[in-house]
Amino acid sequence: MKNHAIIAYFLALSLTVLTACSNSGDLDKRDLSYDDIVNTGLANSCLTLPDSSRGTIPIEAGKQYAVQDMCIEPRQFFVKEEPVSKRQKAEFIEGKLLTRYTSSLDQIQGTIDTNDDGTLTFTEIDGIDFQPVTILLPGGEEVALLFTVKQFQGTTVASADSINTSTDFEGEFHVPSYRGAVFLDPKGRSFARGYDHAVALPGRADDPKFSNVKEFVSSKGKMSLNITKIDSDTGEIAGVFESEQFSATDLGAGEPQEIKIKGNFYGRITDNA
């Protein structure tokens, strides 16, 4: 029994250390091995830069730059709820993320181009640029959404000859359907396959009330990337983001809800010559 108590103590201590490491923002994943990261949650965390990183990255007119290894980590999710009374305004209610270890976007690549008016445009090209996540609201409701930045194209407000800690990219992105066209619901219906009518009511199979109304729903979202840290020597950038998009509709079966997402991001800017 004594040996069992000692083993249990060391096991609990190990789990505490792993949990603490997974929540620490001071650890750099580049200094850790696969065994150090697996099952700790660190893989879902983006790299960061020291608070003292306040450099600049010069930009030449007419030149294209590449954005590599970009990581976008959501930290807060808010769902817009309509008020009970008409005198009240709709408010965003913060929810709890149920999808713990697979919520960040990673390995995103893109380009930064200079425009004729001196502004900069960041265009997302590819990468792990979407993640299906679920949010739990205080009342118990679960809201599913496809967190994404697909085809994001953001432009700076003012012209600049460098990327610095005042650089903000604002623009829109594409939000694909949360469900695929062949996903079957519990009644065997989908957008591209399955039943077209209610099979339990053969006498009213042609009634519009019971026909398959599934549709492939996509929408637009908007996002703002605010750079707050820069390492001039390595071209690394980090900062915060805020995006707004719609939740899933189960192929048109429900009304979409407005979602606001806040978090951190990291990336590297290189010469694309």
Side-chain angles (χ1 to χ4, degrees):
M1 293 295 293
K2 185 176 180 180
N3 292 336
H4 289 171
I6 294 174
I7 293 174
Y9 170 78
F10 280 107
L11 180 60
L13 181 62
S14 300
L15 291 175
T16 302
V17 172
L18 286 175
T19 303
C21 290
S22 64
N23 294 328
S24 174
D26 299 330
L27 291 175
D28 192 333
K29 293 187 293 184
R30 292 170 294 192
D31 300 330
L32 303 176
S33 66
Y34 173 81
D35 292 332
D36 294 328
I37 295 177
V38 65
N39 293 330
T40 65
L42 280 174
N44 195 50
S45 300
C46 295
L47 297 173
T48 186
L49 295 176
D51 293 335
S52 58
S53 301
R54 291 291 186 271
T56 61
I57 300 176
I59 297 295
E60 297 182 23
K63 200 171 185 179
Q64 187 180 72
Y65 296 82
V67 178
Q68 299 177 343
D69 300 329
M70 190 171 188
C71 175
I72 301 178
E73 178 185 358
R75 291 292 186 89
Q76 292 177 294
F77 289 85
F78 303 86
V79 180
K80 192 173 185 179
E81 288 195 346
E82 295 299 327
V84 179
S85 172
K86 294 183 178 180
R87 297 180 179 179
Q88 297 176 329
K89 294 183 179 180
E91 295 182 349
F92 281 94
I93 307 299
E94 185 172 4
K96 177 183 178 182
L97 180 64
L98 297 181
T99 313
R100 297 183 300 166
Y101 291 166
T102 56
S103 58
S104 292
L105 311 180
D106 206 352
Q107 300 177 28
I108 294 174
Q109 299 181 33
T111 59
I112 294 179
D113 296 278
T114 57
N115 303 316
D116 295 336
D117 59 358
T119 58
L120 306 176
T121 297
F122 167 52
T123 304
E124 189 267 347
I125 298 177
D126 59 16
I128 306 175
D129 53 8
F130 69 93
Q131 290 283 17
V133 299
T134 303
I135 307 167
L136 177 66
L137 295 181
E141 180 185 1
E142 295 182 3
V143 180
L145 70 143
L146 194 70
F147 172 50
T148 181
V149 294
K150 273 186 173 296
Q151 302 172 17
F152 172 71
Q153 191 169 52
T155 304
T156 58
V157 177
S159 59
D161 57 0
S162 68
I163 294 177
N164 51 58
T165 53
S166 298
T167 303
D168 302 334
F169 292 98
E170 297 180 2
E172 293 185 338
F173 57 88
H174 176 65
V175 184
S177 174
Y178 181 84
R179 301 292 191 187
V182 295
F183 173 82
L184 294 175
D185 70 2
K187 294 185 178 181
R189 299 171 300 179
S190 75
F191 176 72
R193 61 180 296 183
Y195 295 108
D196 291 329
H197 306 282
V199 295
L201 300 170
R204 302 183 63 183
D206 296 328
D207 192 326
K209 291 183 179 180
F210 304 104
S211 61
N212 184 3
V213 295
K214 299 292 185 179
E215 56 181 343
F216 198 75
V217 180
S218 61
S219 60
K220 290 288 185 180
K222 59 181 180 180
M223 182 173 65
S224 173
L225 294 172
N226 310 121
I227 298 175
T228 59
K229 304 173 185 177
I230 294 179
D231 189 328
S232 304
D233 297 330
T234 61
E236 294 174 292
I237 60 173
V240 296
F241 80 92
E242 180 175 316
S243 68
E244 293 185 24
Q245 64 172 90
F246 288 104
S247 66
T249 64
D250 257 346
L251 294 177
E255 290 294 325
Q257 294 176 272
E258 291 185 49
I259 311 292
K260 181 183 291 184
I261 308 165
K262 297 181 180 180
N264 305 329
F265 73 89
Y266 165 90
R268 287 190 305 109
I269 297 178
T270 61
D271 194 331
N272 207 21

